[in-house]
Amino acid sequence: MNSISPTLPISVPQNTKEAYPISVLENVKQKLETRVTHPAIIIPSPLTAKLRNVLKGLLMNKPKLRDIYPLEAGDAMPGIDPKTERKIVLSDKVENIFANPLVKTILDDRENPSVRKSSYDVILGYGHLTVDEVLSKVLPKELSEIPSSFEVVGHLAHMNLRQEYYPFKKIIGRVVLDKNKGIQVCVNKTGTIQNEFRTFPMETLADDRKLKTRNDSLGLLVEVKEDGCRFQLDFEKVYWNSRLQFEHRRIVHFITGKERPTNLKKRCKDNKEEKEKLPEKIIVADACAGIGPFAVPLTSQYENVEVHANDLNPVSYDYLQKNAKLNKCANLKTYNMDGRYFLRKLDEENIHYDHVLMNLPAIAPEFLDVFRGWKVDRKKRPMIHVHCFGSKIKGDIEVVERCSVSLGCKLDWSKDEVSVHEVRNVSPKKNMYCVSFRLPDGVKHVDPIIKFGDIVAKDDANDDCDGAIEPATKKPRLS
């Protein structure tokens, strides 16, 4: 075990494969204390509320510290009871603050000649510092970045620390929990997504939960809220990414053509005019539905939408069903099978879907070969939405070409209504995209695939949002 470092910052240990214990943080907390002298003014107590409002932008304004204090020994003026006065502490960031017009006016007030300049010593310690400030002081200078960013999932903080932070991971997790009210457990990803269920290995860095799991599972059951829906999930066993909230919303609005829920049936049971306004039914096939970030809002908030939602992960399938019940989804049918066989099943059952969602970025385009030889007779071709990864330079052309290869025919940007939406930045060289297009007529002339084989992601496909180091998630060291 690494020995306790007696100084700040904590040194890089000789054995970088062992993590410092939490006791190291406890030992250095006292060393984080600093005394800062702030300018202040002493005023009559009855003026406290009024002047605090006047000086609002010039006050000390530090977390967990007040701006108004009783007088200290040595502050009293002869002939004035110190209990009838108060000290207002001002910011130390404003140069020559006593010359500020607002402060100067108060000091020069002839009606209150007892108003006078003063100072106040503030002791700032661990409890007053932010995550960035603590880690900037604690971590060794050799580390150029402060790993203070994390994803919040319910009461859980999910970090993605680089190997160089390994000796300090428990300290980092502890600081994150101490400084973020509402977060009870902090976990760190220890590997990339390496299975078909999009889950990844992780470890617990700090845990304040009262009830903890007693088996091999980390017990990461959480509940999150997104756009009016509640989602329950086990973060260790299913895929969830809070950064995709806006993409979930965008797709829902794209499909429904609405930016607000239109659950008309609930308000037009006895209103014939409202009944006539009900839009046409929309059927959606969600081939990689996960726990329901698309399917649940579509069927709980839009009366005219029917979703057939599928996921290969049996745990995701269970939570999909739970979330459907939790959100009172009316027209949601769930499946637990391979995505391509799921789409074939819908075709065989003559379910005419209007939209197909394929949200499996590493390999979703390769699933498009299911449409080869597609000869379903319909008035309108379905809209396909494929999430995938591509390079930052000419990534839109790259991902469309990838879809064309899998379909077995070339996509026509105009005729097939092709559009590419940049979802988000994944890594320094890679973005996540969503390709949307009408299923091209050309697939009818391509030989169908009778038996599907396994799809293996390319090596670089694992650097999706959960495996890559995103340039915007780390903060520079504070000076």
Side-chain angles (χ1 to χ4, degrees), residues 260-314:
R260 292 184 179 180
T262 55
N263 216 333
L264 292 174
K265 188 175 180 180
K266 292 182 179 179
R267 68 171 189 260
C268 66
K269 288 182 178 179
D270 302 317
N271 190 324
K272 292 183 179 180
E273 293 183 2
E274 288 284 357
K275 285 182 180 180
E276 294 176 356
K277 295 180 182 179
L278 282 173
E280 293 183 4
K281 188 174 185 179
I282 300 172
I283 299 178
V284 178
D286 193 349
C288 312
I291 65 165
F294 297 115
V296 168
L298 282 170
T299 54
S300 65
Q301 299 177 353
Y302 298 88
E303 187 62 32
N304 64 312
V305 180
E306 176 184 308
V307 177
H308 295 261
N310 169 74
D311 201 89
L312 181 63
N313 184 350

Side-chain angles (χ1 to χ4, degrees), residues 79-125:
I80 300 178
D81 184 354
K83 294 182 180 180
T84 64
E85 294 186 311
R86 292 291 182 270
K87 181 180 288 190
I88 296 184
V89 185
L90 304 175
S91 171
D92 63 340
K93 305 297 183 184
V94 180
E95 186 177 353
N96 195 14
I97 196 167
F98 291 125
N100 181 279
L102 289 176
V103 178
K104 195 172 186 304
T105 299
I106 295 171
L107 290 170
D108 295 341
D109 187 1
R110 294 183 178 180
E111 294 184 6
N112 296 285
S114 64
V115 174
R116 56 198 182 274
K117 299 177 183 178
S118 184
S119 62
Y120 187 79
D121 287 343
V122 177
I123 298 178
L124 300 177

